[in-house]
Amino acid sequence: AQPDQALFEERHLRYISLLGKGNFGSVELCRYDPLGDNTGELVAVKKLQPNKQSTLDDFKKEVKTLSVLHCDYIVKYRGVCYSMGRLSMSLVMEYLPHGSLIGYLENNRHKVNTRRLLLFASQICKGMEYLQTLRYVHRDLAARNILVASESLVKIADFGLTKIIPFDKEYYRVTQPGESPIFWYAPESISESRFSPKSDVWSFGVVLHELFSYCNMNSNPKRVRRQCNTIVVPPSPFSPLSLIVQGPSISMHLANILKTNWRLPPPPSCPLKVYGLMKECWAYDFEERPCFSSLANEIETIMQDERE
Ligand SMILES: C[C@H](Nc1nc(-c2c[nH]c3ncc(Cl)cc23)ncc1F)C(=O)NCC(F)(F)F
Protein backbone atom coordinates (compact mmCIF):
# COMPACT_ATOMS: atom_id res chain seq x y z
CA ALA A 1 0.00 0.00 0.00
CA GLN A 2 1.24 3.54 -0.70
CA PRO A 3 2.77 5.38 2.33
CA ASP A 4 -0.34 7.45 3.01
CA GLN A 5 -2.51 4.37 2.54
CA ALA A 6 -1.42 3.20 6.00
CA LEU A 7 -2.57 -0.24 7.06
CA PHE A 8 -3.87 -0.45 10.60
CA GLU A 9 -3.78 -3.90 12.23
CA GLU A 10 -7.05 -4.60 14.00
CA ARG A 11 -5.29 -6.21 16.99
CA HIS A 12 -3.61 -2.87 17.83
CA LEU A 13 -6.78 -0.75 17.49
CA ARG A 14 -8.06 -0.27 21.08
CA TYR A 15 -11.75 0.76 21.29
CA ILE A 16 -12.29 3.75 23.61
CA SER A 17 -15.79 5.14 22.92
CA LEU A 18 -18.51 5.63 20.34
CA LEU A 19 -18.33 9.07 18.71
CA GLY A 20 -21.53 8.87 16.68
CA LYS A 21 -23.77 6.93 14.35
CA GLY A 22 -24.87 7.67 10.81
CA ASN A 23 -27.04 5.89 8.27
CA PHE A 24 -23.94 3.93 7.17
CA GLY A 25 -22.64 2.59 10.50
CA SER A 26 -20.71 4.23 13.31
CA VAL A 27 -17.56 6.20 14.10
CA GLU A 28 -15.54 5.11 17.15
CA LEU A 29 -12.71 6.75 19.08
CA CYS A 30 -9.81 4.29 19.19
CA ARG A 31 -6.16 4.34 20.16
CA TYR A 32 -3.79 2.71 17.66
CA ASP A 33 -1.32 1.29 20.13
CA PRO A 34 1.08 -1.23 18.50
CA LEU A 35 3.56 -0.84 21.39
CA GLY A 36 0.79 -1.65 23.86
CA ASP A 37 1.92 1.10 26.26
CA ASN A 38 -0.86 3.66 25.60
CA THR A 39 1.54 5.94 23.73
CA GLY A 40 -0.24 5.30 20.41
CA GLU A 41 -2.24 8.01 18.58
CA LEU A 42 -5.99 8.53 18.95
CA VAL A 43 -7.90 7.92 15.72
CA ALA A 44 -11.52 8.08 14.54
CA VAL A 45 -12.54 4.74 13.02
CA LYS A 46 -15.57 4.57 10.74
CA LYS A 47 -17.06 1.08 10.70
CA LEU A 48 -19.54 0.08 8.06
CA GLN A 49 -22.78 -1.66 9.00
CA PRO A 50 -23.96 -2.62 5.50
CA ASN A 51 -27.71 -2.07 5.35
CA LYS A 52 -30.22 -1.23 2.62
CA GLN A 53 -28.82 2.30 2.51
CA SER A 54 -25.11 1.73 2.23
CA THR A 55 -23.10 -1.12 0.77
CA LEU A 56 -19.45 -2.10 0.92
CA ASP A 57 -19.06 -0.59 -2.56
CA ASP A 58 -20.33 2.80 -1.37
CA PHE A 59 -17.95 2.56 1.57
CA LYS A 60 -14.99 1.75 -0.68
CA LYS A 61 -15.86 4.83 -2.76
CA GLU A 62 -15.91 6.95 0.40
CA VAL A 63 -12.47 5.60 1.40
CA LYS A 64 -11.15 6.26 -2.10
CA THR A 65 -12.58 9.80 -2.04
CA LEU A 66 -11.09 10.72 1.34
CA SER A 67 -7.70 9.14 0.53
CA VAL A 68 -7.11 11.56 -2.39
CA LEU A 69 -8.16 14.72 -0.52
CA HIS A 70 -5.27 16.76 0.89
CA CYS A 71 -6.53 20.08 2.26
CA ASP A 72 -6.19 21.90 5.60
CA TYR A 73 -9.98 22.30 5.68
CA ILE A 74 -10.85 18.62 5.14
CA VAL A 75 -10.58 15.90 7.81
CA LYS A 76 -7.36 13.90 7.31
CA TYR A 77 -7.44 10.33 6.05
CA ARG A 78 -5.08 8.00 7.93
CA GLY A 79 -5.69 4.62 6.32
CA VAL A 80 -7.78 1.47 6.50
CA CYS A 81 -8.12 -1.51 8.80
CA TYR A 82 -9.22 -4.87 7.46
CA SER A 83 -10.89 -7.50 9.65
CA MET A 84 -12.41 -10.91 9.06
CA GLY A 85 -9.88 -11.48 6.31
CA ARG A 86 -10.74 -8.78 3.79
CA LEU A 87 -14.47 -9.20 4.27
CA SER A 88 -14.93 -6.12 6.41
CA MET A 89 -12.97 -2.87 6.40
CA SER A 90 -12.87 0.29 8.50
CA LEU A 91 -11.85 3.81 7.54
CA VAL A 92 -9.24 5.36 9.87
CA MET A 93 -9.20 9.16 10.15
CA GLU A 94 -7.57 11.78 12.35
CA TYR A 95 -9.48 12.35 15.60
CA LEU A 96 -10.52 15.95 16.28
CA PRO A 97 -11.20 16.33 20.01
CA HIS A 98 -13.54 19.32 19.78
CA GLY A 99 -16.08 17.25 17.85
CA SER A 100 -18.68 18.53 15.41
CA LEU A 101 -19.64 22.17 14.92
CA ILE A 102 -23.14 21.60 16.34
CA GLY A 103 -22.01 20.59 19.83
CA TYR A 104 -19.13 23.07 19.81
CA LEU A 105 -21.27 26.12 19.01
CA GLU A 106 -23.97 25.14 21.53
CA ASN A 107 -21.35 24.74 24.31
CA ASN A 108 -18.97 27.60 23.39
CA ARG A 109 -21.39 30.31 22.29
CA HIS A 110 -19.72 32.83 24.64
CA LYS A 111 -16.29 32.17 23.10
CA VAL A 112 -17.39 32.49 19.46
CA ASN A 113 -18.00 36.01 18.13
CA THR A 114 -19.06 37.15 14.62
CA ARG A 115 -15.46 37.30 13.40
CA ARG A 116 -14.84 33.72 14.52
CA LEU A 117 -18.05 32.52 12.80
CA LEU A 118 -16.92 34.30 9.62
CA LEU A 119 -13.47 32.67 9.88
CA PHE A 120 -15.13 29.22 10.11
CA ALA A 121 -17.38 30.10 7.14
CA SER A 122 -14.41 31.14 4.99
CA GLN A 123 -12.56 27.91 5.87
CA ILE A 124 -15.57 25.81 4.82
CA CYS A 125 -15.68 27.80 1.54
CA LYS A 126 -12.00 27.08 0.90
CA GLY A 127 -12.47 23.38 1.63
CA MET A 128 -15.44 23.28 -0.78
CA GLU A 129 -13.48 25.25 -3.42
CA TYR A 130 -10.74 22.59 -3.21
CA LEU A 131 -13.31 19.78 -3.43
CA GLN A 132 -14.78 21.34 -6.59
CA THR A 133 -11.39 21.55 -8.31
CA LEU A 134 -11.51 17.72 -8.18
CA ARG A 135 -15.10 17.74 -9.55
CA TYR A 136 -16.56 16.37 -6.30
CA VAL A 137 -20.01 17.35 -5.01
CA HIS A 138 -20.32 16.77 -1.24
CA ARG A 139 -24.18 16.49 -1.17
CA ASP A 140 -24.34 16.53 2.64
CA LEU A 141 -22.83 19.88 3.62
CA ALA A 142 -24.31 20.67 7.05
CA ALA A 143 -23.00 21.85 10.44
CA ARG A 144 -23.31 18.25 11.74
CA ASN A 145 -20.68 17.27 9.14
CA ILE A 146 -18.16 19.98 10.05
CA LEU A 147 -15.51 19.13 12.65
CA VAL A 148 -13.78 21.60 14.96
CA ALA A 149 -9.98 21.07 14.92
CA SER A 150 -9.20 24.05 17.19
CA GLU A 151 -10.72 27.36 18.31
CA SER A 152 -9.64 28.78 14.96
CA LEU A 153 -9.90 25.84 12.54
CA VAL A 154 -12.80 23.75 11.23
CA LYS A 155 -12.73 20.89 8.71
CA ILE A 156 -15.28 19.34 6.36
CA ALA A 157 -15.95 15.66 7.07
CA ASP A 158 -18.33 12.80 6.18
CA PHE A 159 -17.88 12.12 2.46
CA GLY A 160 -20.43 9.29 2.51
CA LEU A 161 -22.71 10.99 -0.06
CA THR A 162 -19.93 12.62 -2.11
CA LYS A 163 -20.06 11.97 -5.88
CA ILE A 164 -17.81 12.83 -8.80
CA ILE A 165 -19.49 14.87 -11.54
CA PRO A 166 -18.98 13.01 -14.86
CA PHE A 167 -16.50 14.81 -17.13
CA ASP A 168 -19.18 15.45 -19.79
CA LYS A 169 -21.87 16.85 -17.47
CA GLU A 170 -22.31 19.81 -15.10
CA TYR A 171 -24.25 17.90 -12.45
CA TYR A 172 -24.77 14.49 -10.84
CA ARG A 173 -28.23 12.89 -10.88
CA VAL A 174 -29.01 10.49 -8.04
CA THR A 175 -31.13 7.47 -8.91
CA GLN A 176 -32.21 6.00 -5.58
CA PRO A 177 -32.30 8.89 -3.09
CA GLY A 178 -32.25 7.29 0.36
CA GLU A 179 -32.84 9.27 3.55
CA SER A 180 -32.41 12.87 2.40
CA PRO A 181 -31.42 15.90 4.46
CA ILE A 182 -34.02 17.87 2.47
CA PHE A 183 -33.81 21.04 4.58
CA TRP A 184 -30.24 21.40 3.33
CA TYR A 185 -31.21 20.53 -0.26
CA ALA A 186 -31.43 22.99 -3.15
CA PRO A 187 -34.82 23.02 -4.97
CA GLU A 188 -33.39 21.16 -8.01
CA SER A 189 -32.00 18.49 -5.68
CA ILE A 190 -35.39 18.04 -4.02
CA SER A 191 -37.46 17.90 -7.19
CA GLU A 192 -35.00 16.42 -9.73
CA SER A 193 -32.37 14.71 -7.52
CA ARG A 194 -29.88 16.92 -9.36
CA PHE A 195 -26.63 17.78 -7.57
CA SER A 196 -23.93 20.22 -8.68
CA PRO A 197 -21.37 22.62 -7.17
CA LYS A 198 -24.25 25.13 -7.03
CA SER A 199 -26.40 22.77 -4.97
CA ASP A 200 -23.50 22.52 -2.48
CA VAL A 201 -23.55 26.36 -2.44
CA TRP A 202 -27.25 26.27 -1.44
CA SER A 203 -26.36 23.89 1.43
CA PHE A 204 -23.53 26.23 2.43
CA GLY A 205 -26.16 28.98 2.81
CA VAL A 206 -27.98 26.71 5.29
CA VAL A 207 -24.66 26.06 7.09
CA LEU A 208 -24.19 29.86 7.34
CA HIS A 209 -27.65 30.02 8.92
CA GLU A 210 -26.68 27.25 11.37
CA LEU A 211 -23.41 29.05 12.20
CA PHE A 212 -25.15 32.35 12.95
CA SER A 213 -27.89 30.57 14.93
CA TYR A 214 -25.06 28.92 16.94
CA CYS A 215 -26.73 25.66 15.84
CA ASN A 216 -29.55 26.45 18.20
CA MET A 217 -31.74 23.47 17.41
CA ASN A 218 -35.12 25.14 17.90
CA SER A 219 -34.21 27.66 15.24
CA ASN A 220 -32.87 25.01 12.95
CA PRO A 221 -34.37 22.84 10.26
CA LYS A 222 -34.49 19.17 11.05
CA ARG A 223 -33.59 16.14 9.00
CA VAL A 224 -36.75 14.35 7.92
CA ARG A 225 -37.18 10.77 6.80
CA ARG A 226 -38.25 11.00 3.18
CA GLN A 227 -40.02 7.63 3.28
CA CYS A 228 -42.55 8.51 5.93
CA ASN A 229 -43.57 11.85 4.38
CA THR A 230 -45.20 12.63 7.68
CA ILE A 231 -43.32 14.72 10.17
CA VAL A 232 -44.13 17.05 12.98
CA VAL A 233 -41.92 20.11 12.58
CA PRO A 234 -41.73 22.00 15.86
CA PRO A 235 -42.31 25.76 15.49
CA SER A 236 -39.13 26.86 13.73
CA PRO A 237 -38.08 29.14 10.86
CA PHE A 238 -39.75 26.55 8.64
CA SER A 239 -42.96 27.63 10.37
CA PRO A 240 -45.14 27.19 7.28
CA LEU A 241 -44.30 23.51 7.84
CA SER A 242 -44.81 23.49 11.60
CA LEU A 243 -47.80 21.26 11.16
CA ILE A 244 -48.21 17.61 10.41
CA VAL A 245 -47.55 17.35 6.68
CA GLN A 246 -49.00 14.20 5.19
CA GLY A 247 -49.67 12.84 1.74
CA PRO A 248 -48.09 14.39 -1.37
CA SER A 249 -44.82 14.52 0.61
CA ILE A 250 -42.98 16.98 2.71
CA SER A 251 -40.31 17.47 0.08
CA MET A 252 -42.76 18.65 -2.59
CA HIS A 253 -44.34 20.92 0.02
CA LEU A 254 -40.90 22.37 0.79
CA ALA A 255 -40.06 22.69 -2.92
CA ASN A 256 -43.32 24.63 -3.43
CA ILE A 257 -42.74 27.15 -0.65
CA LEU A 258 -39.16 27.66 -1.86
CA LYS A 259 -40.61 28.42 -5.30
CA THR A 260 -42.74 31.17 -3.75
CA ASN A 261 -39.42 32.72 -2.68
CA TRP A 262 -40.06 31.98 0.99
CA ARG A 263 -36.68 31.58 2.78
CA LEU A 264 -35.40 31.10 6.33
CA PRO A 265 -35.52 34.46 8.20
CA PRO A 266 -32.23 35.89 9.51
CA PRO A 267 -31.03 34.32 12.79
CA PRO A 268 -31.20 36.66 15.82
CA SER A 269 -28.46 39.37 15.69
CA CYS A 270 -27.13 38.08 12.37
CA PRO A 271 -25.28 40.90 10.51
CA LEU A 272 -27.37 42.04 7.52
CA LYS A 273 -24.45 41.51 5.12
CA VAL A 274 -24.19 37.87 6.25
CA TYR A 275 -27.92 37.36 5.71
CA GLY A 276 -27.38 38.87 2.25
CA LEU A 277 -24.83 36.10 1.55
CA MET A 278 -27.33 33.44 2.63
CA LYS A 279 -29.93 34.87 0.24
CA GLU A 280 -27.39 34.80 -2.59
CA CYS A 281 -26.75 31.10 -1.88
CA TRP A 282 -30.52 30.50 -1.88
CA ALA A 283 -31.19 31.89 -5.36
CA TYR A 284 -33.86 29.61 -6.88
CA ASP A 285 -31.98 29.54 -10.19
CA PHE A 286 -28.68 27.77 -9.52
CA GLU A 287 -26.95 29.86 -12.24
CA GLU A 288 -27.49 32.95 -10.08
CA ARG A 289 -25.83 31.45 -6.99
CA PRO A 290 -22.23 32.58 -6.29
CA CYS A 291 -19.29 30.17 -6.49
CA PHE A 292 -17.30 29.28 -3.37
CA SER A 293 -14.29 31.39 -4.35
CA SER A 294 -16.39 34.57 -4.65
CA LEU A 295 -18.19 33.64 -1.39
CA ALA A 296 -14.79 33.34 0.37
CA ASN A 297 -13.85 36.83 -0.90
CA GLU A 298 -17.19 38.35 0.18
CA ILE A 299 -16.78 36.78 3.65
CA GLU A 300 -13.25 38.15 3.99
CA THR A 301 -14.53 41.61 3.05
CA ILE A 302 -17.21 41.41 5.77
CA MET A 303 -14.51 40.25 8.21
CA GLN A 304 -12.54 43.46 7.50
CA ASP A 305 -15.62 45.58 8.25
CA GLU A 306 -16.24 43.57 11.44
CA ARG A 307 -12.66 44.36 12.52
CA GLU A 308 -13.06 48.15 12.24
C1 LIG B 1 -20.68 9.71 12.66
C2 LIG B 1 -19.70 10.67 13.28
N1 LIG B 1 -20.40 11.38 14.33
C3 LIG B 1 -19.69 12.11 15.28
N2 LIG B 1 -18.34 12.30 15.19
C4 LIG B 1 -17.72 13.03 16.20
C5 LIG B 1 -16.27 13.26 16.15
C6 LIG B 1 -15.56 13.87 17.15
N3 LIG B 1 -14.27 13.94 16.79
C7 LIG B 1 -14.12 13.38 15.57
N4 LIG B 1 -13.00 13.25 14.84
C8 LIG B 1 -13.09 12.67 13.63
C9 LIG B 1 -14.30 12.21 13.15
CL1 LIG B 1 -14.35 11.48 11.56
C10 LIG B 1 -15.48 12.31 13.88
C11 LIG B 1 -15.38 12.93 15.12
N5 LIG B 1 -18.39 13.59 17.22
C12 LIG B 1 -19.73 13.41 17.31
C13 LIG B 1 -20.40 12.67 16.34
F1 LIG B 1 -21.72 12.47 16.43
C14 LIG B 1 -19.18 11.63 12.21
O1 LIG B 1 -18.29 11.26 11.46
N6 LIG B 1 -19.83 12.80 12.11
C15 LIG B 1 -19.51 13.71 11.02
C16 LIG B 1 -18.40 14.66 11.46
F2 LIG B 1 -17.26 14.00 11.58
F3 LIG B 1 -18.27 15.63 10.56
F4 LIG B 1 -18.75 15.18 12.68
Side-chain angles (χ1 to χ4, degrees):
Q2 304 87 5
D4 72 340
Q5 169 92 20
L7 219 45
F8 289 77
E9 293 186 61
E10 190 183 29
R11 62 198 169 99
H12 297 319
L13 261 189
R14 297 261 185 79
Y15 172 83
I16 297 175
S17 64
L18 175 72
L19 289 169
K21 276 187 169 306
N23 51 17
F24 54 88
S26 60
V27 175
E28 299 171 349
L29 172 59
C30 296
R31 180 184 298 280
Y32 189 62
D33 201 35
L35 302 179
D37 59 2
N38 268 352
T39 61
E41 66 166 337
L42 293 178
V43 287
V45 181
K46 188 166 198 172
K47 291 181 185 300
L48 175 72
Q49 252 97 37
N51 56 25
K52 57 191 179 312
Q53 228 82 25
S54 60
T55 63
L56 187 59
D57 269 3
D58 295 341
F59 193 61
K60 282 183 177 163
K61 281 183 196 151
E62 179 178 352
V63 172
K64 178 86 189 66
T65 301
L66 200 57
S67 65
V68 302
L69 299 178
H70 302 287
C71 172
D72 293 341
Y73 308 114
I74 290 180
V75 67
K76 276 191 176 36
Y77 167 82
R78 281 272 190 277
V80 288
C81 171
Y82 292 104
S83 43
M84 292 157 34
R86 290 225 158 186
L87 271 184
S88 135
M89 70 188 294
S90 301
L91 166 58
V92 183
M93 296 168 279
E94 68 174 320
Y95 167 64
L96 299 181
H98 293 286
S100 100
L101 199 47
I102 290 208
Y104 182 81
L105 286 182
E106 281 172 346
N107 305 331
N108 295 280
R109 185 176 187 134
H110 54 287
K111 258 200 280 190
V112 182
N113 61 13
T114 300
R115 274 185 46 72
R116 186 51 44 91
L117 291 176
L118 288 166
L119 175 68
F120 289 167
S122 70
Q123 291 170 345
I124 297 165
C125 274
K126 287 172 186 156
M128 288 307 297
E129 198 178 339
Y130 168 80
L131 209 56
Q132 288 182 6
T133 58
L134 302 175
R135 292 185 69 79
Y136 281 117
V137 280
H138 188 283
R139 297 188 50 240
D140 200 7
L141 190 57
R144 64 181 172 276
N145 288 333
I146 305 291
L147 282 168
V148 181
S150 75
E151 296 193 344
S152 56
L153 178 63
V154 292
K155 301 192 180 196
I156 302 168
D158 201 331
F159 293 83
L161 296 180
T162 301
K163 302 284 182 190
I164 291 194
I165 298 180
F167 70 96
D168 58 341
K169 289 209 291 187
E170 286 311 300
Y171 60 89
Y172 185 92
R173 192 177 298 281
V174 170
T175 45
Q176 75 297 346
E179 188 174 86
S180 316
I182 60 166
F183 286 133
W184 282 263
Y185 270 10
E188 70 275 9
S189 307
I190 296 176
S191 46
E192 304 159 48
S193 295
R194 186 185 154 122
F195 294 85
S196 70
K198 292 298 177 70
S199 54
D200 277 344
V201 166
W202 176 289
S203 303
F204 174 77
V206 184
V207 172
L208 261 185
H209 193 278
E210 294 182 278
L211 275 167
F212 281 84
S213 323
Y214 290 90
C215 290
N216 185 334
M217 283 315 277
N218 59 29
S219 72
N220 243 12
K222 300 255 183 297
R223 284 175 80 103
V224 294
R225 294 182 188 292
R226 203 162 180 168
Q227 289 83 349
C228 73
N229 292 337
T230 306
I231 65 159
V232 177
V233 181
S236 81
F238 280 91
S239 51
L241 300 174
S242 66
L243 40 82
I244 299 184
V245 183
Q246 189 130 12
S249 99
I250 177 97
S251 32
M252 286 326 290
H253 190 86
L254 179 57
N256 291 338
I257 62 167
L258 291 175
K259 207 169 202 159
T260 66
N261 258 339
W262 177 85
R263 293 292 182 273
L264 281 167
S269 70
C270 170
L272 272 185
K273 283 184 181 168
V274 175
Y275 187 59
L277 282 189
M278 292 179 208
K279 301 281 280 196
E280 283 182 52
C281 296
W282 297 334
Y284 192 83
D285 175 359
F286 57 86
E287 311 260 3
E288 289 170 22
R289 293 172 208 153
C291 60
F292 280 110
S293 46
S294 65
L295 275 168
N297 292 336
E298 288 187 72
I299 290 169
E300 253 135 46
T301 309
I302 300 175
M303 279 168 86
Q304 302 303 332
D305 305 349
E306 281 302 317
R307 193 202 313 275
E308 269 105 44

